[in-house]
Amino acid sequence: MCKDCGCSITDHHHHHDHEHGHSHEHTHSHESSSHQAAHETLHHNPQLNDSKTISVIKKILDKNDHEAEHNRAHLEKNGVLGINLMSSPGSGKTTLLESFSGLVDFKFAVVEGDLETSRDADRLKAKGISAVQIQTGSACHLDAFMVHKGLHDIALNEVDVCFVENVGNLVCPASYDVGTHLNIVLVSVPEGEDKIEKYPVMFRCADLILITKTDLLPYFDYDIQKEKEAARKLNPSVDIIEVSTKDENSVKKVIDWISFKRNMR
């Protein structure tokens, strides 16, 4: 759930309940890691820590996880690798995807999440990239139901990889499984060297961490080795790549990582 603002308890969830016919009492023996992370921190927020609120949030998360499994099955049926891109605003998610154009050896599409505008999707389309915009309104994350809607507007039989570019936020998206296979989390040099320690849930759920805008290292007091150590303390098995979109070779390293994961599936 959205652990800080509680924004997930909104009418759109009830709308999806009716639309998809899912039971409010549906539970799962296996919870996603994001689901578990949400429960771990729930009890630390006194505003949310009462039995009725916890019950509502658990139902929301259960239904979200159920829909996420549906999304994954939909991707797998079409042989598509799903990748969730998460970061704070301005870390370079859209710029990275733009830089893939002309370099990748696979076809990809993007489900683009933003609060109000379609600017990022328009940028991708201008590069010839298939992109579908999801406007979340006041919701500070994408959930599995929103992504499900976006997937139906993509010709999945024509792509190899589907990126979900999540809403810019280092908190809420970490708690929602959207039905992808891998999580890539970006953190940029200008954000400062404390973000990994300050937002551990986000980086703990990452399969790959991209430290972006490394061309700016000479201008910032940023200890990149310290950040890598902080990341591996939280997540010993995580992969880390330094990226500058001005350095084509660094972008190719990200593409190679994705290609390797795609081939392993």
Side-chain angles (χ1 to χ4, degrees), residues 97-101 108-110 121 124-131:
L97 292 172
E98 285 179 314
S99 72
F100 285 174
S101 181
F108 71 94
V110 181
L124 296 173
K125 289 176 183 177
K127 289 280 188 178
I129 298 166
S130 175

Side-chain angles (χ1 to χ4, degrees), residues 130-187:
S130 175
V132 174
Q133 183 71 51
I134 301 292
Q135 292 180 349
T136 66
S138 60
C140 50
H141 60 276
L142 287 172
D143 64 23
F145 293 96
M146 298 176 195
V147 172
H148 179 214
K149 182 180 178 182
L151 291 178
H152 279 288
D153 291 328
I154 291 174
L156 290 176
N157 61 327
E158 297 178 5
V159 300
D160 304 304
V161 178
C162 182
F163 293 97
V164 174
E165 184 179 338
N166 222 308
V167 178
N169 186 341
L170 276 178
V171 180
C172 308
S175 297
Y176 277 86
D177 181 359
V178 294
T180 48
H181 301 101
L182 298 168
N183 292 325
I184 297 180
V185 181
L186 290 70
V187 60

Side-chain angles (χ1 to χ4, degrees), residues 12-246:
H12 82 271
H13 286 281
H14 298 293
H15 170 73
H16 289 308
D17 296 344
H18 175 75
E19 183 177 81
H20 292 273
H22 293 161
S23 167
H24 280 268
E25 301 302 326
H26 189 88
T27 58
H28 303 280
S29 58
H30 175 73
E31 295 177 343
S32 69
S33 58
S34 58
H35 189 147
Q36 292 172 9
H39 281 296
E40 284 175 14
T41 54
L42 173 63
H43 297 281
H44 299 298
N45 189 331
Q47 291 180 317
L48 300 179
N49 193 13
D50 66 83
S51 59
K52 288 184 179 180
T53 303
I54 290 170
S55 177
V56 170
I57 291 169
K58 186 177 188 305
K59 288 174 182 176
I60 289 170
L61 288 168
D62 284 339
K63 287 201 294 285
N64 181 83
D65 285 356
H66 180 64
E67 189 73 359
E69 289 301 327
H70 173 75
N71 290 349
R72 247 186 303 277
H74 194 48
L75 292 170
E76 288 164 4
K77 181 181 178 182
N78 288 276
V80 177
L81 177 68
I83 299 177
N84 190 9
L85 290 180
M86 298 178 286
S87 77
S88 58
S91 293
K93 297 185 295 297
T94 308
T95 303
L96 179 71
L97 292 172
E98 285 179 314
S99 72
F100 285 174
S101 181
L103 295 179
V104 293
D105 59 355
F106 51 80
K107 297 178 181 178
F108 71 94
V110 181
V111 176
E112 179 67 50
D114 202 356
L115 298 181
E116 299 286 347
T117 73
S118 61
R119 290 177 185 174
D120 289 349
D122 292 341
R123 283 173 55 185
L124 296 173
K125 289 176 183 177
K127 289 280 188 178
I129 298 166
S130 175
V132 174
Q133 183 71 51
I134 301 292
Q135 292 180 349
T136 66
S138 60
C140 50
H141 60 276
L142 287 172
D143 64 23
F145 293 96
M146 298 176 195
V147 172
H148 179 214
K149 182 180 178 182
L151 291 178
H152 279 288
D153 291 328
I154 291 174
L156 290 176
N157 61 327
E158 297 178 5
V159 300
D160 304 304
V161 178
C162 182
F163 293 97
V164 174
E165 184 179 338
N166 222 308
V167 178
N169 186 341
L170 276 178
V171 180
C172 308
S175 297
Y176 277 86
D177 181 359
V178 294
T180 48
H181 301 101
L182 298 168
N183 292 325
I184 297 180
V185 181
L186 290 70
V187 60
S188 67
V189 168
E191 290 174 75
E193 61 178 31
D194 60 351
K195 294 300 174 289
I196 293 176
E197 288 184 335
K198 287 180 71 174
Y199 300 93
V201 176
M202 177 64 80
F203 293 95
R204 198 177 287 127
C205 76
D207 298 289
L208 172 66
I209 294 173
L210 300 181
I211 301 177
T212 63
K213 305 186 182 183
T214 53
D215 52 298
L216 296 176
L217 278 169
Y219 309 102
F220 287 86
D221 185 14
Y222 189 95
D223 187 339
I224 199 163
Q225 291 306 125
K226 180 182 175 182
E227 282 301 271
K228 289 180 180 180
E229 289 170 8
R232 293 214 162 94
K233 186 176 180 181
L234 288 170
N235 188 348
S237 64
V238 73
D239 293 326
I240 303 172
I241 300 176
E242 299 175 30
V243 183
S244 166
T245 53
K246 295 180 180 179

Side-chain angles (χ1 to χ4, degrees), residues 244-257:
S244 166
T245 53
K246 295 180 180 179
D247 176 6
E248 192 173 284
N249 287 329
S250 72
V251 175
K252 286 180 177 178
K253 287 181 181 178
V254 182
I255 293 170
D256 288 344
W257 185 92

